[in-house]
Amino acid sequence: LNINPDNVATPIAASLGDVTTLGLLAWIANILYEHLKVGLFTSHIIIGGYFLILPMFLYLAWNNKHTMEVLQTGWTPVVMAMLISTGGGFILDKAVEHFRGITMFAPVMNGAGGNLVAIQASRMTTYLHAATNSLQGTFPLGEEKVCLLPCSIICGGMKHCSTHPAPHSRMSRILLILLLPGQIIFVYCICMLRAQTSPTPLFMFAYALASLSQVFILLYLCQILVYWMWSRGSDPDNAAIPYLTAIGDLLGTGFLTIAFIFLYLLNDGTLTQLEHGHHNSTLTDLALINNQTTVITTMGPL
């Protein structure tokens, strides 16, 4: 189709992975919970079965040249990404106690930031493979420096900015430009569906600033992390993206919480209506449950 897979495959795979994981988790958890209520040990049998077949799959992966490298180096990024994401979950858990509406915006911000930086990391790795004939540890001429100034990640290649080669800065600017329209559309849709109101300019400014800050830091860390891993002889495709998406969750949740605190201090109308909308929907659910309970009690035993 003459389409660069680095621009399409990574975000699609990540998005489908999230949807598939949540769907399977909800379905399987419901089945296991029903089995647990009747005294069945289905979950224990499944876990025990995994441990029994684990050595066989380790043996198969170790003897396959395409998966052996991932088996050797792929554990650390996944485990560290889980620990970093736990920090974002802790922040979100505390933020929900004060701003219930934040749960609707966190997946949008974190998903967009993670997908955009995954595209950049994939493109950078492909560029290094092509420019060095996959000789890990070597760099194209003039690009040996790993740590650069943050401004060079965005403004590199422009006049009066930086003399250091910046082959990825143009793509960084494009990704930042693509971020804003998508975030504005999603925020508007969430506000209309949840609170039946359009977001105020102050709300849009705070959310856009938080989102831009998250993606800018992620793009800067992406440059450092990908080139650092390449200099150590590691393939960034196997390690960089888990780190970056986990850091994206942490930064996105943190910046979003700061934005909501800022809006709360300024008594923003959209934030107030979002909180009232969540409160009213909860009251409606409780009222429906109460009405159903009253009807059942009035009917008495059959």
Side-chain angles (χ1 to χ4, degrees), residues 234-297:
S234 301
D235 190 351
D237 275 335
N238 297 334
I241 292 179
Y243 280 116
L244 292 170
T245 52
I247 295 173
D249 292 343
L250 180 63
L251 290 175
T253 306
F255 282 130
L256 189 60
T257 302
I258 294 173
F260 269 62
I261 294 173
F262 171 74
L263 293 169
Y264 173 77
L265 294 176
L266 296 181
N267 196 25
D268 180 71
T270 300
L271 182 62
T272 304
Q273 292 182 0
L274 285 170
E275 295 301 315
H276 285 323
H278 187 278
H279 180 69
N280 292 336
S281 64
T282 304
L283 290 178
T284 301
D285 294 339
L286 291 175
L288 289 174
I289 295 173
N290 184 53
N291 291 337
Q292 293 173 357
T293 306
T294 304
V295 171
I296 294 174
T297 305

Side-chain angles (χ1 to χ4, degrees), residues 3-259:
I3 298 175
N4 188 351
D6 286 334
N7 298 335
V8 180
T10 303
I12 290 180
S15 301
L16 291 179
D18 291 342
V19 173
T20 304
T21 301
L22 291 174
L24 288 175
L25 181 63
W27 175 56
I28 295 175
N30 182 64
I31 295 175
L32 294 178
Y33 180 71
E34 294 296 330
H35 286 191
L36 185 63
K37 288 197 299 183
V38 297
L40 297 177
F41 297 96
T42 309
S43 58
H44 301 79
I45 295 173
I46 293 175
I47 294 174
Y50 280 146
F51 278 106
L52 289 176
I53 64 176
L54 179 61
M56 180 185 67
F57 284 108
L58 286 175
Y59 174 79
L60 294 175
W62 184 262
N63 288 276
N64 189 321
K65 64 178 182 179
H66 301 291
T67 58
M68 185 175 63
E69 182 182 357
V70 178
L71 186 64
Q72 291 175 326
T73 61
W75 291 100
T76 303
V78 173
V79 174
M80 291 302 298
M82 293 171 62
L83 293 176
I84 296 171
S85 296
T86 302
F90 177 78
I91 296 174
L92 183 61
D93 181 62
K94 295 298 181 181
V96 169
E97 296 178 2
H98 304 280
F99 310 107
R100 294 182 178 88
I102 198 173
T103 55
M104 298 177 291
F105 297 94
V108 176
M109 174 172 287
N110 296 339
N115 286 335
L116 290 177
V117 76
I119 292 174
Q120 183 74 333
S122 184
R123 289 179 60 92
M124 282 185 176
T125 307
T126 302
Y127 166 81
L128 290 174
H129 275 290
T132 63
N133 292 322
S134 298
L135 296 176
Q136 297 176 8
T138 62
F139 291 95
L141 184 62
E143 298 183 34
E144 297 82 5
K145 192 174 181 180
V146 174
C147 293
L148 303 174
L149 293 174
C151 62
S152 65
I153 305 300
I154 305 300
C155 305
M158 302 175 67
K159 292 182 178 179
H160 311 295
C161 179
S162 174
T163 57
H164 189 273
H168 312 291
S169 59
R170 181 172 176 268
M171 189 62 190
S172 298
R173 293 192 291 269
I174 293 174
L175 292 175
L176 282 174
I177 293 173
L178 289 175
L179 175 69
L180 280 179
Q183 293 287 37
I184 291 173
I185 292 172
F186 279 113
V187 169
Y188 186 84
C189 291
I190 291 173
C191 291
M192 290 299 297
L193 293 174
R194 190 65 178 179
Q196 290 77 46
T197 183
S198 58
T200 60
L202 181 61
F203 188 92
M204 291 300 306
F205 171 77
Y207 185 88
L209 182 61
S211 183
L212 285 172
S213 301
Q214 176 210 25
V215 175
F216 176 79
I217 295 176
L218 285 177
L219 292 174
Y220 179 58
L221 292 177
C222 178
Q223 170 78 29
I224 296 176
L225 191 60
V226 169
Y227 273 66
W228 177 74
M229 288 182 174
W230 188 266
S231 68
R232 293 175 58 88
S234 301
D235 190 351
D237 275 335
N238 297 334
I241 292 179
Y243 280 116
L244 292 170
T245 52
I247 295 173
D249 292 343
L250 180 63
L251 290 175
T253 306
F255 282 130
L256 189 60
T257 302
I258 294 173

